[in-house]
Amino acid sequence: MVSSPPQVIAYGPNPDAAHRTGGVAVWLRYLRRICDAAALPARFIYVDQPIPNRLPLPRILKRALGSLIAAFKVLGTRGEVAPVVHVNASLYPSTVLRDLPVVIAAALRGCPILLQVHGGRLANLTPGKIPWRAWHWMCRRATCLGIHPGPQWEEFKNAGYERRMRRMYNLVPSTDHRADLAAAPHFLFLGRVVEEKGVREALRVALRLRDEGHDEVRMTIAGEGDLVEQLRKKIRSSPHSEAVSVTGFLEGDALEYVRRQANIFVLPSRHQEGFPFAFLESAERGMACITTTDSAIADVFEPEEEFQPVDINQPSDLYDQMKRMVTDPTHRERIGTGGYEAVQECCTIEAAANRFENLYLKLAKQK
């Protein structure tokens, strides 16, 4: 019987690698802080292994080699009590095959397995193909499946995994910053600057609002992606170029600076989101958030009170919601305050440390 916190092995992409900017890597960075806050004995093993540069291997082979090395590290873990292995996955063919060796190793070692699904859908996998078979095998081997609320939850439930499922919320650290909601409206788009995120439409609305005489409106687009240069060109040809900027990828102090300038976050994504860190980090800072409902957000936060939903199937709705944020300071204040309070209650690292300690302990007792 396990009565003290078990050893935890967390696996996924290395958040300290320069090219790792996605949500899973961000989560692993925060998971380290959760384990520290709960004083959990944790070891982090990453797919990004230090493979010498003199080995001219394609990226796919480096990733395969990295996952095999990680699997052998799990197999070689010492101790009478098997550690809890926390695999951080996304539902795409390449990441399923990336994570499979570690799940196999954990099963051979007799470890309880928490398989946390950060993004993607089962529909991304073609039925009957190797990634599809590998994923369902991993689901059956897992002691527990960590699934986001929302569409992803319903999909896994319909696939017959309800008994293994546990609701999993992304978490962010508490900061000392509160957005000035009474200041002039400053929109922030933060994420991949690609078509499916709706960033082009958000920029179009911001420029339209300026054309209509709302000279106080500002917008910052932060992130990297295929549309960066296109949007910069559009801004340069606009009479409002001084009010809108596309920064490219930011981190550290530069990223914090643009967050502190903004008071409205906008993410009109046209593809299914999981539980976006950019939304949580913005709401935690007190920004009023406009975002799609095709995500876990609407299952955790109250629409019209803690975030402003936007219907991506109605082209005029994004304009309506962004304009309302500009012209109705009371609405902006209500949404920003409501989102801030909701994040503090359930989605900060400090609020979740005990929850994760209890979850790991429960999983360890199941073996």
Side-chain angles (χ1 to χ4, degrees):
M1 180 70 68
V2 178
S3 57
S4 58
Q7 181 186 6
V8 176
I9 294 178
Y11 168 76
N14 185 355
D16 299 323
H19 65 287
R20 294 294 190 183
T21 60
V24 185
V26 173
W27 164 254
L28 280 160
R29 184 180 303 119
Y30 292 160
L31 184 59
R32 291 192 301 212
R33 296 178 62 168
I34 291 169
C35 291
D36 288 342
L40 290 168
R43 180 185 181 194
F44 286 76
I45 298 176
Y46 304 118
V47 66
D48 305 277
Q49 298 292 333
I51 299 170
N53 290 331
R54 64 177 179 272
L55 294 178
L57 297 176
R59 182 178 176 184
I60 188 171
L61 291 182
K62 286 187 176 182
R63 183 164 52 186
L65 182 58
S67 63
L68 287 174
I69 292 172
F72 279 109
K73 288 182 178 181
V74 172
L75 279 173
T77 303
R78 298 181 179 181
E80 294 182 5
V81 178
V84 175
V85 177
H86 185 165
V87 177
N88 294 272
S90 294
L91 262 172
Y92 302 97
S94 60
T95 53
V96 168
L97 299 177
R98 176 197 74 189
D99 301 330
L100 180 61
V102 172
V103 176
I104 292 173
L108 291 174
R109 176 70 173 79
C111 300
I113 302 169
L114 169 58
L115 183 59
Q116 183 173 351
V117 186
H118 291 269
R121 302 284 290 273
L122 285 171
N124 291 335
L125 308 177
T126 304
K129 298 293 185 179
I130 290 176
W132 184 88
R133 293 177 183 275
W135 179 257
H136 285 284
W137 181 86
M138 289 193 293
C139 286
R140 291 191 295 270
R141 296 301 305 181
T143 314
C144 175
L145 295 171
I147 309 295
H148 288 310
Q152 192 181 75
W153 180 273
E154 292 304 316
E155 190 177 40
F156 272 80
K157 180 180 176 181
N158 293 337
Y161 293 114
E162 185 173 13
R163 293 181 62 186
R164 299 172 186 265
M165 291 161 55
R166 182 184 181 95
R167 291 185 184 271
M168 196 65 68
Y169 304 132
N170 279 345
L171 305 168
V172 294
S174 297
T175 65
D176 60 357
H177 176 66
R178 289 290 299 273
D180 184 358
L181 295 166
H186 190 141
F187 292 97
L188 172 66
F189 173 92
L190 177 60
R192 290 188 300 119
V193 185
V194 293
E195 203 71 57
E196 60 266 28
K197 291 286 189 176
V199 58
R200 191 192 298 272
E201 289 80 0
L203 173 60
R204 186 180 298 123
V205 171
L207 294 176
R208 179 181 170 183
L209 290 169
R210 295 274 307 184
D211 286 339
E212 293 173 351
H214 298 285
D215 296 335
E216 73 278 22
V217 170
R218 299 287 186 274
M219 184 173 193
T220 301
I221 297 170
E224 58 185 353
D226 299 339
L227 295 184
V228 166
E229 290 307 318
Q230 291 183 39
L231 299 186
R232 283 175 173 166
K233 183 177 180 181
K234 181 178 180 64
I235 291 168
R236 285 196 296 268
S237 64
S238 165
H240 310 297
S241 57
E242 81 289 351
V244 184
S245 64
V246 181
T247 67
F249 174 71
L250 296 177
E251 60 183 346
D253 291 342
L255 176 57
E256 188 58 29
Y257 175 80
V258 301
R259 281 175 169 153
R260 288 177 179 266
Q261 298 303 303
N263 53 14
I264 307 168
F265 172 77
V266 58
L267 180 65
S269 183
R270 293 199 299 271
H271 80 151
Q272 194 268 325
E273 298 281 343
F275 207 160
F277 279 105
F279 162 78
L280 290 174
E281 290 165 340
S282 299
E284 193 281 329
R285 288 167 170 78
M287 295 185 209
C289 295
I290 303 172
T291 185
T292 176
T293 56
D294 192 12
S295 69
I297 295 171
D299 277 51
V300 180
F301 294 86
E302 187 67 32
E304 298 279 355
E305 295 294 333
E306 297 167 351
F307 79 102
Q308 179 58 55
V310 59
D311 186 349
I312 56 175
N313 297 313
Q314 296 292 333
S316 64
D317 196 40
L318 180 61
Y319 168 79
D320 292 341
Q321 301 309 334
M322 289 178 67
K323 183 175 182 179
R324 186 180 180 189
M325 287 291 183
V326 171
T327 60
D328 188 349
T330 301
H331 175 67
R332 192 164 69 227
E333 178 75 30
R334 184 177 72 254
I335 297 295
T337 301
Y340 171 82
E341 292 174 351
V343 170
Q344 295 298 324
E345 183 177 344
C346 69
C347 292
T348 64
I349 288 172
E350 294 75 12
N354 287 339
R355 295 205 306 264
F356 268 84
E357 180 179 5
N358 292 335
L359 173 60
Y360 291 138
L361 187 59
K362 180 179 179 180
L363 294 175
K365 290 179 178 179
Q366 290 182 229
K367 280 292 180 178

